[in-house]
Amino acid sequence: MTIPLIIDTDPGVDDALALAVAVASPEVDLLGVTTVFGNVGLDKTTRNALRLMTLLGRDDVPVAVGAERPLVHPQPHVSRAHGADGLSGFADTLPEATVEPDPRDAVTLLKDLLEASEEPVTIVPIGPLTNIALLLAAHPRLKDRIARLVVMGGGIRGGNITAAAEFNLWCDPEAARRVLVEERVPTTLVTMDLTKRCAVSAEWLQRVGESSEIGARLVGLTPDYLATYRQFLGWDGMAVHDAVAVAEAVRPGILTTQRFPVEVECAFGPGRGGLLVDERLETPKEDGVDIAVDTDLDVLRGFLFERLSAFGVRQ
């Protein structure tokens, strides 16, 4: 059965790989892409999304512009992992976008696509959760049109922006709390605890780059990000956080999940944006979210390689 899919994104190097995995997956009917502030400002995330969809041969997929700031409190932008343009300084190596952004804003496009789809839609938010929080606040009746959210965000054992907070949740804690705690939408949460374990080697990336011209262009976006992750990981590789979330959306069950109640810290202080997971055995689990806790790393990396190398033989 085809999976109707929408990706909400802030490209971002790993977002670029995530979009490519979705485009290369025959199981997916990619209905739309929505952009949000995050790894870089909204103008750059939107430009990057449009150029990436042109590179991937899917400029027929509508790309709509979303939130340029958090719901409530401004958040200082501190991410440097993706370079100044979001793509390691190589955004201009991508082809110019062949289409303009959709005239609808992100929330309106999400609403229209949910209403038009014959089947409930999987939404994969791989940036700050602002657009999704706005959608659920403005159109609560559409929750039943969402098959599930597959969210990349949070860290059970700590963060990457602060000791407590992972970047996507830290960018807009109030939006994250609304989506993950208040709205009761079926959700699979893919945290950085697992995505860091799924990191790929520089040699793996080289093989993707050798597989096709598109593969080479995608890998050409990684130098700054790869350099940052050499420091984070202590070996020559990088995390592909967002691509792991898309893999779960495309192939449900490739990640092993457990259900836990969660909270998001919205107070000001060192814990702001932190994910609080109640792992106590006696805690009721009905209102929790399904957190990805494990995977067969060889299978997961093999799946990602298969999709990222599926764009034809390099000329």
Side-chain angles (χ1 to χ4, degrees):
M1 181 178 295
T2 302
I3 300 169
L5 191 74
I6 301 169
I7 296 180
D8 185 67
T9 181
D10 60 335
V13 174
D14 55 331
D15 307 71
L17 299 178
L19 288 167
V21 169
V23 167
S25 294
E27 307 94 325
V28 164
D29 180 9
L30 185 58
L31 303 178
V33 173
T34 52
T35 63
V36 65
F37 77 96
N39 289 315
V40 285
L42 182 65
D43 57 339
K44 292 179 180 177
T45 64
T46 301
R47 178 204 61 195
N48 292 347
L50 288 165
R51 285 184 162 189
L52 285 163
M53 296 309 290
T54 296
L55 172 70
L56 297 169
R58 290 304 309 273
D59 59 4
D60 58 308
V61 175
V63 176
V65 182
E68 65 179 356
R69 53 154 288 168
L71 287 182
V72 182
H73 299 288
Q75 192 69 289
H77 181 71
V78 299
S79 177
R80 298 182 181 89
H82 299 264
D85 65 358
L87 297 173
S88 296
F90 292 98
D92 286 341
T93 67
L94 295 176
E96 289 290 340
T98 52
V99 295
E100 296 294 320
D102 194 273
R104 294 164 288 185
D105 62 85
V107 172
T108 303
L109 178 65
L110 286 162
K111 175 186 77 71
D112 290 350
L113 293 175
L114 290 173
E115 289 176 337
S117 177
E118 294 182 1
E119 302 291 335
V121 176
T122 299
I123 302 177
V124 188
I126 51 178
L129 285 162
T130 314
N131 289 338
I132 309 304
L134 289 167
L135 170 72
L136 295 172
H139 304 286
R141 63 183 177 81
L142 292 179
K143 285 195 286 188
D144 290 343
R145 303 299 305 150
I146 300 173
R148 66 169 172 160
L149 304 173
V150 183
V151 176
M152 192 283 127
I156 301 172
R157 306 294 176 226
N160 58 353
I161 292 298
T162 70
E166 176 274 333
F167 180 76
N168 287 344
L169 269 58
W170 176 86
C171 278
D172 195 342
E174 285 77 18
R177 188 179 189 282
R178 174 148 204 153
V179 173
L180 299 177
V181 180
E182 297 179 15
E183 291 291 357
R184 304 286 190 260
V185 177
T187 298
T188 299
L189 181 61
V190 183
T191 72
M192 61 174 285
D193 308 79
L194 180 58
T195 58
K196 283 181 69 177
R197 288 170 48 205
C198 299
V200 299
S201 68
E203 187 273 336
W204 187 97
L205 287 169
Q206 181 180 350
R207 289 193 292 119
V208 171
E210 292 169 349
S211 68
S212 70
E213 185 60 37
I214 289 177
R217 301 285 285 274
L218 292 170
V219 173
L221 305 174
T222 65
D224 282 8
Y225 191 69
L226 181 58
T228 297
Y229 268 92
R230 286 192 188 105
Q231 300 176 31
F232 290 169
L233 297 172
W235 53 276
D236 196 12
M238 71 181 205
V240 287
H241 305 286
D242 297 338
V244 176
V246 169
E248 169 59 27
V250 172
R251 182 167 289 180
I254 198 169
L255 308 181
T256 301
T257 63
Q258 290 181 259
R259 181 163 294 186
F260 297 106
V262 300
E263 262 292 351
V264 178
E265 178 59 74
C266 293
F268 287 95
R272 180 167 172 79
L275 178 72
L276 309 176
V277 179
D278 191 343
E279 299 179 85
R280 294 175 295 172
L281 293 177
E282 68 272 21
T283 304
K285 305 297 191 294
E286 303 82 53
D287 293 332
V289 299
D290 295 321
I291 297 181
V293 295
D294 202 3
T295 190
D296 183 314
L297 295 178
D298 290 338
V299 170
L300 186 280
R301 290 176 182 137
F303 174 79
L304 293 177
F305 181 84
E306 171 198 313
R307 298 306 160 94
L308 292 172
S309 60
F311 290 98
V313 177
R314 185 177 182 185
Q315 301 300 315

